Amino acid sequence: MQQLLEGLRVLELSNNVAGPFTGKLLAEYGADVVKIEPLEGDSARHQGPYKDDIPNVETSLLFLHLNTNKKSITLNFESENAVDITKKFIDKTDIVIESFAPGQMENWGLSYEALAKDHEDLIMASITPFGQSGPWKDYKASEIVLQALGGPLHANGSAFREPIKSGGNIAQYHTGIATAFACIAARLRIIRGGRGDHIDQSIYEAQAGFRDRRTSFTTGTSYTGYVAKRQPPGARPASGPRMTTDGYANIFASGSRRFPAALDLIGRPDLKDHPDAKKQPHLFSQEFASELEGSWMAWLINRDKKTAIAETQEIGLLGGAIYTTKDLIEDEHYRSREVWDTIDHPVAGSAAYTGRQILLSETSRKKPLRAPLLGEHNNEIYAEIGFTKKDIDEMKKNGII
Amino acid sequence: MTTENFLPLDGYRVAEITVVWAGPHVTQLLGEWGAEVIRVEPTTTIQPYTRGAERIINTADQENTAKLGILAGGINPETTPGLDPWNRNSSFNSHARNKKSMSCDIMTPEGREAFLRLIEKVDVLVENNVPMTIERAKITYEQLKEINPKLIMLRMPAFGLSGPYKNYRAFGTHVEGMIGHHWLRGYPDGTPDETGDAFTADALAGVMGAFAVTSALVHREITGEGQQIEMPLAESFLPALGEWILDYTMNNRVADPQGNLHREHAPHSIYPTKGEDSWIAIDCTNDEEFNSLCITLNAHDLLNDERFKSLAKRKLYEQELNDALARYTQEWDNDQLFHLLQSVSVCAGSVHNEKQLLESPQLRARDFFEELEIEGVGTHTYPGIMTKWENTPNQIRSSPPKLGEHNEEIYIELLEYTEKQYTDLVNKGLVGTDYSEEVVPRTWE
């Protein structure tokens, strides 16, 4: 059965996280993605951790993860031939993903206007920290800075401490998905008779449109003038992360419809008749709150986190255990759903990767392919656009590829 | 479609039975890019955590809640419930633009009939309920494709349509626990109860769902095939943690809570600045940036400190470095320092709350925010569309729908009910524009 994006040709001129994640998504669901790397490789190849902590352009975990199912070729953009070569690729490309600083592609003669001149169906997505225009367009940014300015970072963490960022490269991953959506929507429009377009994706704007509280909070502020604040730990009695015998479980008991059932479960049915039992947790009286919290903690501390979740799910409470990566990978649920792909790599060896996000009823998944070695597909791909073996050797010798 | 400037999803019709945040975010994005989105929502029962109808509180309590900075459940304009607080909820109104509302309770025979008629007329159905709900309502993909073989149905439960946690109920914040994100984003020297709630899973699943549906539409345009897309919240998030997962499967290393630390950069943290709850993010990757930072802060003692002479040393003495830097940054206004540091090419940015975000000169210059006047709600600023297409201007086309606002249009024009059939449903209390007092007691008045 045909893959969702089969036949789509993508050129990835992008490094680090956001653009490569866009490319990874398109590749995962069937597009043919060719990644053009500078001679030293994608910057993600130079970031730790590496397999066995030994720096090697082929074993950066970030790179190995972000570039499955792609092909890699190299090209020196500062070389004279780079513009002509890129234009040759454009003849065979539906979507270009790039993440250079605003104006850089233009300086090379590779602006959207230049590339789309003879290809009105071209889609180009440009991913930058702040977008192609505006007073901050040339500002420097990184994950923590983008989360600080654009995301809900100020509301993450404890009221008594400094705010903390979300894990890893969340803002960039989110932007990668948003860009993939835009690219495929643009493709759909072409299929339906429209023209190509230049997608200007700012990571900052993706954060400002982030459904991790950001849009909801901003609308709340716009409605009331108040801003969201970090809450004190344990501010909601019998709700939120609490200790169990083997770690933490985060269960939503008070403030939910099933709160009375939760009181039965922990052996405190008497509290159901208290006038506070129907209130929102932050409006509980001190006396009710401490009575409830004591019984709740006593119940939890006698159970391991998975049992606490299983028993509370049984009565319909929302909740989840707080897993480490070890807990996650060993968990039977994810294993039974085959979420882990075992992928072999000539330098990094064999390991379990996270891959698909979706399962399709009518389309079976293709076998995932490992990330490419740097320039692994030079011969194959340059030959496809008309270079002979001799030309390719020549370009290698001259430091072009 | 021949006109040049149509939106990519113009002409597609999407139905949704979605609750809370992630599902409604998928349809928000599909609606923004042109789809006609119809919310199927009962007036005979409350859809949980969607219009805020399960916990409407009076003005004084809303005021107290807002002062504490608790906004996640949504709040009413001027902290006043009014007569129809479910049409005035900030959380609902932040995603429901460009949508229509049809009141319909799929658990009743009449509601089921209307829903099945609707399924014949849509391209896409999006739902994010616990799987047992959809099974109980007998509206699985297997059942619906009999009625509409070209249907694309996105199902996004928390954990999947199979496996031991199939019917586990979870918000984004609980899903984040179950995939390791809650642990990862904690304070390195703290405990998970200090971390607070995050709904990052809803944000990622929203865009991922929109991508998946659109990809399935591309596929359907070419092959004619419909499809069920199963996208558990948990699994849609996992690839965003890919390198941490590989660190366990390749290096056998369990990720510790990271807080504001970076594996290689130092300084890399959130530093206090002048004023209450005021902070700045600073991230230096090399000596040049660190030197510029110290010169700007007038922190010459740090420049000359042996412990901070190289990136490796700064990483080694990170705690001392961060404490020392904080003593300097706390003398500054964060926005002033942010622009000054950027002018000397140091990567930095203020920690902005919602009020500051709304004032951002960058977002204003790019016309990110939009003003909407909504009847009964007033005129307010809303976050706009997160992606710009150079040749396809786009903005919010219509206000969030009031409960059942489009009942007549949908039942009579689209589903071809007669006036009498429609009026019967209204008289039976199955179709309406209000929750009855039995469903939502007016306790806030």
Side-chain angles (χ1 to χ4, degrees):
Chain A
M1 196 65 69
Q2 185 170 333
Q3 298 296 308
L4 291 189
L5 304 178
E6 202 160 315
L8 204 59
R9 293 157 310 179
V10 179
L11 198 61
E12 183 185 303
L13 297 169
S14 184
N15 62 22
N16 208 21
V17 178
F21 194 48
T22 304
K24 178 184 166 83
L25 289 169
L26 302 182
E28 170 70 38
Y29 300 105
D32 186 4
V33 179
V34 174
K35 184 179 178 74
I36 305 191
E37 301 189 62
L39 301 188
E40 72 279 11
D42 182 329
S43 62
R45 290 186 184 269
H46 301 277
Q47 280 177 52
Y50 300 89
K51 157 82 172 160
D52 298 331
D53 294 325
I54 303 164
N56 180 328
V57 292
E58 302 303 349
T59 64
S60 148
L61 306 186
L62 184 65
F63 184 87
L64 289 171
H65 163 61
L66 282 170
N67 294 284
T68 50
N69 297 307
K70 299 179 193 172
K71 291 175 177 164
S72 161
I73 61 170
T74 52
L75 177 63
N76 178 356
F77 275 97
E78 302 299 337
S79 67
E80 274 175 38
N81 322 40
V83 174
D84 287 342
I85 290 173
T86 308
K87 284 188 172 164
K88 281 207 173 86
F89 281 121
I90 297 298
D91 289 339
K92 292 173 159 289
T93 294
D94 300 305
I95 298 172
V96 179
I97 306 159
E98 68 93 9
S99 58
F100 293 104
Q104 179 65 71
M105 290 288 275
E106 203 167 5
N107 290 346
W108 283 325
L110 298 171
S111 67
Y112 175 72
E113 287 67 29
L115 295 178
K117 200 179 271 172
D118 301 316
H119 306 277
E120 60 178 27
D121 286 356
L122 185 71
I123 297 158
M124 179 157 127
S126 297
I127 305 175
T128 52
F130 296 103
Q132 302 292 314
S133 62
W136 301 356
K137 76 176 164 61
D138 298 319
Y139 276 11
K140 277 192 169 179
S142 68
E143 180 69 25
I144 194 170
V145 164
L146 290 160
Q147 287 192 23
L149 285 165
L153 191 150
H154 79 100
N156 287 342
S158 160
F160 306 132
R161 298 195 58 172
E162 74 280 13
I164 38 171
K165 68 185 276 284
S166 283
N169 294 300
I170 291 298
Q172 295 172 77
Y173 277 101
H174 173 255
T175 303
I177 313 172
T179 309
F181 166 52
C183 286
I184 297 308
R187 183 65 197 164
L188 181 60
R189 194 172 71 154
I190 288 170
I191 292 170
R192 304 173 81 208
R195 299 276 151 79
D197 213 322
H198 183 200
I199 291 156
D200 170 7
Q201 181 64 65
S202 138
I203 303 174
Y204 177 50
E205 253 154 50
Q207 283 284 283
F210 203 37
R211 189 74 187 150
D212 177 1
R213 297 162 287 159
R214 200 43 148 166
T215 52
S216 190
F217 283 172
T218 305
T219 306
T221 298
S222 171
Y223 277 11
T224 66
Y226 292 106
V227 297
K229 288 181 188 163
R230 297 186 300 290
Q231 300 300 310
R236 289 169 302 165
S239 213
R242 296 291 187 279
M243 211 187 277
T244 63
T245 55
D246 63 342
Y248 285 78
N250 182 7
I251 300 166
F252 182 27
S254 70
S256 80
R257 272 193 305 162
R258 317 267 180 188
F259 185 42
L263 292 172
D264 285 333
L265 181 71
I266 63 168
R268 290 304 305 270
D270 56 307
L271 291 178
K272 287 193 285 190
D273 300 327
H274 194 285
D276 282 1
K278 288 195 168 60
K279 290 185 182 165
Q280 287 303 302
H282 64 276
L283 301 171
F284 288 167
S285 64
Q286 194 60 47
E287 162 257 327
F288 181 74
S290 48
E291 194 64 18
L292 168 66
E293 181 67 15
S295 300
W296 177 248
M297 281 175 68
W299 186 83
L300 276 173
I301 202 65
N302 281 308
R303 282 158 180 79
D304 62 76
K305 57 187 184 244
K306 282 166 88 167
T307 305
I309 296 305
E311 288 184 32
T312 48
Q313 287 286 340
E314 195 63 36
I315 59 164
L317 297 186
L318 296 131
I322 295 180
Y323 275 3
T324 63
T325 37
K326 181 172 188 287
D327 295 329
L328 169 70
I329 290 151
E330 289 176 354
D331 189 276
E332 191 45 44
H333 174 79
Y334 300 106
R335 287 183 179 268
S336 76
R337 292 180 48 78
E338 300 178 353
V339 302
W340 312 117
D341 295 328
T342 301
I343 300 180
D344 198 28
H345 185 279
V347 188
S350 176
Y353 287 60
T354 165
R356 63 155 180 89
Q357 293 94 329
I358 62 174
L359 287 166
L360 297 160
S361 63
E362 312 301 316
T363 308
S364 56
R365 185 168 177 240
K366 67 182 168 67
K367 190 178 176 312
L369 302 174
R370 64 166 170 83
L373 306 175
L374 181 60
E376 181 175 352
H377 303 90
N378 274 343
N379 290 345
E380 172 192 335
I381 303 289
Y382 279 107
E384 271 178 26
I385 57 166
F387 288 95
T388 63
K389 179 86 178 65
K390 192 163 153 278
D391 299 331
I392 296 171
D393 289 341
E394 191 83 359
M395 290 198 293
K396 281 182 189 164
K397 211 186 304 163
N398 295 334
I400 297 168
I401 69 172
Chain B
M1 292 278 172
T2 47
T3 51
E4 295 244 334
N5 261 334
F6 67 97
L7 291 171
L9 296 160
D10 267 351
Y12 290 119
R13 190 175 291 128
V14 176
E16 63 170 322
I17 313 177
T18 67
V19 293
V20 202
W21 283 19
H25 190 31
V26 174
T27 50
Q28 172 197 338
L29 295 165
L30 299 176
E32 281 172 0
W33 291 98
E36 178 190 2
V37 177
I38 299 174
R39 274 194 71 76
V40 177
E41 44 185 347
T43 46
T44 42
T45 172
I46 297 169
Q47 275 180 321
Y49 307 96
T50 302
R51 286 180 175 271
E54 65 281 309
R55 46 169 157 45
I56 298 159
I57 48 179
N58 63 36
T59 302
D61 284 343
Q62 285 205 25
E63 195 71 18
N64 289 333
T65 305
K67 256 184 215 158
L68 290 169
I70 300 171
L71 297 178
I75 199 140
N76 298 130
E78 286 80 49
T79 60
T80 303
L83 295 174
D84 55 347
W86 45 84
N87 291 330
R88 312 170 70 249
N89 178 279
S90 58
S91 185
F92 182 82
N93 288 353
S94 70
H95 70 70
R97 66 273 196 101
N98 303 321
K99 298 182 184 179
K100 292 177 179 173
S101 167
M102 158 195 187
S103 78
C104 170
D105 182 349
I106 56 166
M107 294 300 184
T108 63
E110 295 87 346
R112 179 178 168 77
E113 194 201 324
F115 178 72
L116 295 181
R117 281 206 206 183
L118 178 67
I119 287 301
E120 285 178 40
K121 310 254 181 185
V122 301
D123 300 286
V124 177
L125 171 64
V126 178
E127 70 85 17
N128 68 328
N129 299 269
V130 68
M132 66 168 80
T133 301
I134 297 300
E135 286 163 16
R136 208 154 40 94
K138 298 190 175 61
I139 53 167
T140 62
Y141 174 69
E142 291 303 316
Q143 288 155 327
L144 297 183
K145 80 174 178 188
E146 299 294 322
I147 300 166
N148 180 351
K150 289 181 76 177
L151 181 71
I152 292 166
M153 179 173 179
L154 173 63
R155 297 193 62 182
M156 38 194 299
F159 297 103
L161 300 180
S162 68
Y165 307 154
K166 173 182 170 184
N167 283 313
Y168 272 21
R169 294 164 196 269
F171 283 157
T173 190
H174 307 118
V175 166
E176 305 205 20
M178 296 287 274
I179 56 165
H181 184 238
H182 191 126
W183 180 255
L184 187 71
R185 69 185 192 84
Y187 292 101
D189 58 348
T191 51
D193 56 337
E194 293 179 289
T195 311
D197 284 325
F199 300 93
T200 320
D202 298 286
L204 296 187
V207 281
M208 187 61 209
F211 165 69
V213 166
T214 312
S215 297
L217 283 167
V218 164
H219 183 260
R220 194 182 82 169
E221 287 291 336
I222 295 166
T223 64
E225 281 175 357
Q227 189 105 246
Q228 171 181 272
I229 306 165
E230 177 187 350
M231 190 188 80
L233 232 60
E235 289 167 22
S236 70
F237 198 126
L238 288 179
L241 302 173
E243 64 270 31
W244 306 92
I245 288 165
L246 279 182
D247 204 20
Y248 181 72
T249 62
M250 281 197 177
N251 292 332
N252 222 356
R253 186 158 44 212
V254 182
D256 289 325
Q258 302 295 307
N260 294 321
L261 301 178
H262 188 278
R263 283 195 197 85
E264 292 161 352
H265 302 178
H268 179 285
S269 196
I270 303 291
Y271 300 89
T273 46
K274 211 190 280 181
E276 197 200 329
D277 199 22
S278 185
W279 311 85
I280 192 167
I282 299 172
D283 176 4
C284 291
T285 54
N286 56 40
D287 292 342
E288 203 184 332
E289 289 168 1
F290 180 65
N291 293 350
S292 300
L293 170 67
C294 292
I295 292 166
T296 305
L297 289 173
N298 230 339
H300 296 284
D301 59 320
L302 305 187
L303 264 185
N304 298 323
D305 194 318
E306 277 305 319
R307 293 173 303 173
F308 309 142
K309 283 283 184 198
S310 68
L311 179 57
K313 283 180 143 185
R314 289 192 290 275
K315 190 69 196 154
L316 192 63
Y317 294 102
E318 190 167 19
Q319 187 62 53
E320 291 84 347
L321 174 64
N322 283 341
D323 291 346
L325 279 170
R327 286 196 291 277
Y328 287 98
T329 56
Q330 67 191 4
E331 303 299 322
W332 289 79
D333 170 82
N334 61 359
D335 277 348
Q336 199 186 355
L337 184 58
F338 157 41
H339 295 294
L340 201 56
L341 288 174
Q342 287 285 353
S343 73
V344 295
S345 285
V346 173
C347 180
S350 303
V351 175
H352 276 165
N353 65 25
E354 296 76 25
K355 218 180 253 177
Q356 294 154 332
L357 188 85
L358 283 161
E359 289 161 2
S360 160
Q362 176 68 10
L363 294 173
R364 293 280 172 187
R366 284 169 60 83
D367 294 323
F368 174 73
F369 293 108
E370 296 189 40
E371 292 262 296
L372 281 187
E373 189 189 342
I374 306 175
E375 193 204 338
V377 177
T379 302
H380 299 277
T381 304
Y382 294 82
I385 292 165
M386 67 167 104
T387 307
K388 292 210 181 311
W389 296 26
E390 207 171 274
N391 303 325
T392 311
N394 193 7
Q395 56 186 27
I396 300 171
R397 300 188 306 286
S398 62
S399 298
K402 297 185 192 311
L403 183 68
E405 181 177 342
H406 303 88
N407 283 341
E408 271 193 64
E409 171 191 332
I410 292 165
Y411 276 94
I412 294 172
E413 286 167 35
L414 181 65
L415 306 182
E416 295 168 0
Y417 278 68
T418 63
E419 292 278 354
K420 178 169 182 319
Q421 287 168 326
Y422 175 74
T423 315
D424 283 349
L425 291 176
V426 174
N427 291 340
K428 277 189 194 169
L430 293 170
V431 170
T433 54
D434 220 345
Y435 297 109
S436 71
E437 294 205 22
E438 269 162 51
V439 177
V440 182
R442 269 47 171 184
T443 48
W444 66 87
E445 282 165 356

